[in-house]
């Protein structure tokens, strides 16, 4: 399958990573028509097919060469890598880019009423998790004798159900832990979504050329999201102060303003957003018509 002429990309069918991964593919110019029932989607403008699967399967599909690329959370990727290594299966892949979504952490959490003085408090205890390999690695690194109990879902209910003493699960806002009377204690892994590719050299020249053309576009999309185009009218007398307030404004475009001798228009691409506080300072310097605009694409 991986040897078909079309580049195969695995994405999570439905879950936390699905929408952002599809949005990123669309933003880099890949036209996709996704029908909810269908597990394969074809691009209409590039030789690319999308395979929509459970995220658990994505690392294996890439490492076995069934697909060429995959969007996956680092937590799941690392877990599957450890699992395959322990079974002596090949676990080769290449991380092409770390992405700007899917941010979460894998943490140990305990019931509110449990006294916790560090990881040694878990000596001899059972900890429910969907990530037994990551958790056991952490136990080993800390010389703790504890048991990971594998649960594929609803990990948060394990202590109440008497299945385990504590849990190790993904946390983002912490709302799920709080709702279940659990307290986050130790972060054992920090994760973001990544784009991975089959082992170095495994792709045909044509496919690799396509990937090499697409990856810089991802950089462009991420960079554009973080950047802003800023325009304002500034009093000439305060131009230097104005420049020093604008992030990344070493070389702004300064243009004359029709009908005004003492003010100019300043345009700058800023690598970051402009805080309200900075806008207020600019205004107090006499700047007017301060506009902060999103940038859709960037290159060069
Ligand atoms: N609360 C969160 N905030 C941000 N990212 C998260 C959060 N929870 C999980 N993630 C990231 O998204 C990935 C997918 O999470 P999701 O909950 O959709 O997985 P799942 O239930 O295992 O889905 P599937 O049905 O595909 O197996 C996780 O492995 C993690 O990398
Ligand atoms: O700290 P929080 O912001 O509350 O997020 C944490 C929750 O998010 C994830 O589950 P998700 O909501 O994706 O549902 P799932 O149980 O189907 O995986 C994760 O498994 C936690 O349960
Ligand atoms: Mg999953």
């Amino acid at each position: 399958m991986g040897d078909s002429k079309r580049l195969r990309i695995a994405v999570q069918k439905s879950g936390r990573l699905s929408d952002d991964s599809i949005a990123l593919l669309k933003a880099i110019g890949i036209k996709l028509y996704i029908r909810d029932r269908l597990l394969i989607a074809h691009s209409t403008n590039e030789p690319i097919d999308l395979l929509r699967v459970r995220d658990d399967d994505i690392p294996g599909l890439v490492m076995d060469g069934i697909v060429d690329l995959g969007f996956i959370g680092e937590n799941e990727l690392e877990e599957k890598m450890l699992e395959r290594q322990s079974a002596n299966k090949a676990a080769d892949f290449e991380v092409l880019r770390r992405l700007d979504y899917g941010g979460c952490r894998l943490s140990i959490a305990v019931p509110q009423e449990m006294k916790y003085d560090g990881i040694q408090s878990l000596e001899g205890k059972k900890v429910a998790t969907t990530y037994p390999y990551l958790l056991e690695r952490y136990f080993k690194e800390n010389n703790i004798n504890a048991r990971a109990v594998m649960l594929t879902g609803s990990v948060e209910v394990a202590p109440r159900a008497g299945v385990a003493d504590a849990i190790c699960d993904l946390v983002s806002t912490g709302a799920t832990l709080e709702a279940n009377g659990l307290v986050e204690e130790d972060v054992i892994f920090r994760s973001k979504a990544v784009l991975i590719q089959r082992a170095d050299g495994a792709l045909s020249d044509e496919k690799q050329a396509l990937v090499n053309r697409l990856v810089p576009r991802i950089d462009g999309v991420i960079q554009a999201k973080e950047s802003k185009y800023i325009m304002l009218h500034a009093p000439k007398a305060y131009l230097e102060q104005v420049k020093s307030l604008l992030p990344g404004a070493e070389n702004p475009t300064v243009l004359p303003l029709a009908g005004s001798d003492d003010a100019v228009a300043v345009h700058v691409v800023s690598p970051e957003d402009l805080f309200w506080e900075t806008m207020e300072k600019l205004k107090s310097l006499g700047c007017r018509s301060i506009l902060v605009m999103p940038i859709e694409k960037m290159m060069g």
Side-chain angles (χ1 to χ4, degrees):
M1 269 216 285
D3 295 324
S4 98
K5 285 247 183 294
R6 294 169 70 83
L7 190 78
R8 291 184 152 249
I9 306 180
V11 291
Q12 187 185 22
K13 181 173 184 289
S14 91
R16 292 268 184 175
L17 304 178
S18 310
D19 290 349
D20 287 324
S21 302
I22 300 290
L24 181 55
L25 288 171
K26 290 186 173 170
I28 62 172
I30 299 170
K31 292 208 165 64
L32 292 164
Y33 178 54
I34 293 170
R35 270 168 295 185
D36 211 36
R37 285 175 305 110
L38 295 187
L39 301 182
I40 292 196
H42 305 286
S43 165
T44 50
N45 68 332
E46 296 279 6
I48 292 177
D49 294 336
L50 218 60
L51 219 67
R52 302 167 65 224
V53 295
R54 286 201 58 189
D55 72 338
D56 312 49
D57 297 329
I58 294 175
L61 288 170
V62 173
M63 292 172 197
D64 289 333
I66 313 282
V67 300
D68 302 303
L69 304 184
F71 288 92
I72 185 67
E74 289 169 311
N75 53 305
E76 194 65 52
L77 177 63
E78 186 83 1
E79 175 72 12
K80 286 292 182 297
M81 202 177 73
L82 295 174
E83 185 184 327
R84 288 175 70 106
Q85 281 169 350
S86 83
N88 282 321
K89 280 195 196 166
D92 292 340
F93 64 92
E94 207 182 322
V95 176
L96 292 178
R97 283 297 180 273
R98 197 166 196 236
L99 305 167
D100 60 346
Y101 58 88
C104 57
R105 51 198 190 270
L106 184 63
S107 293
I108 290 175
V110 305
Q112 270 154 10
E113 56 281 5
M114 178 174 166
K115 194 168 146 10
Y116 190 87
D117 304 310
I119 187 73
Q120 63 277 7
S121 300
L122 293 182
E123 183 68 34
K125 300 250 195 295
K126 285 191 279 189
V127 183
T129 188
T130 312
Y131 302 93
Y133 285 90
L134 284 169
L135 179 58
E136 272 163 9
R137 179 172 75 181
Y138 189 74
F139 286 153
K140 203 176 273 173
E141 282 167 4
N142 287 281
N143 285 318
I144 299 294
N145 250 314
R147 229 175 77 213
V149 180
M150 169 71 174
L151 288 181
T152 55
S154 306
V155 174
E156 292 91 350
V157 302
R160 249 182 302 147
V163 177
D165 304 286
I167 70 158
C168 174
D169 199 12
L170 297 176
V171 185
S172 165
T173 62
T176 308
L177 291 183
E178 202 185 318
N180 287 283
L182 298 164
V183 182
E184 183 178 5
E185 297 288 357
D186 295 335
V187 176
I188 75 164
F189 192 82
R190 289 189 190 275
S191 181
K192 276 193 168 188
V194 284
L195 175 61
I196 58 169
Q197 144 172 341
R198 287 169 66 186
D200 200 16
L203 262 58
S204 67
D205 290 349
E206 292 80 12
K207 284 185 179 180
Q208 193 64 61
L210 175 56
V211 172
N212 293 350
R213 186 156 60 81
L214 295 177
V215 170
R217 295 189 189 177
I218 294 180
D219 296 336
V221 168
I222 294 176
Q223 211 189 338
K225 259 194 261 176
E226 291 167 353
S227 305
K228 292 284 182 276
Y229 194 86
I230 299 166
M231 302 200 302
L232 49 84
H233 296 173
K236 265 187 192 161
Y238 292 113
L239 194 53
E240 285 313 307
Q241 285 97 314
V242 169
K243 278 201 236 170
S244 68
L245 281 174
L246 293 172
E250 294 78 23
N251 292 306
T253 306
V254 180
L255 303 162
L257 264 181
S260 168
D261 290 333
D262 50 5
V264 284
V266 179
H267 293 197
V268 63
V269 174
S270 163
E272 56 194 82
D273 204 352
L274 203 60
F275 291 111
W276 282 109
E277 289 75 10
T278 312
M279 292 180 70
E280 285 154 6
K281 280 186 198 153
L282 289 165
K283 193 167 169 237
S284 67
L285 281 175
C287 294
R288 295 288 175 264
S289 306
I290 307 169
L291 301 182
V292 179
M293 290 178 293
I295 296 172
E296 193 186 279
K297 294 188 182 74
M298 266 176 114
M299 193 169 267

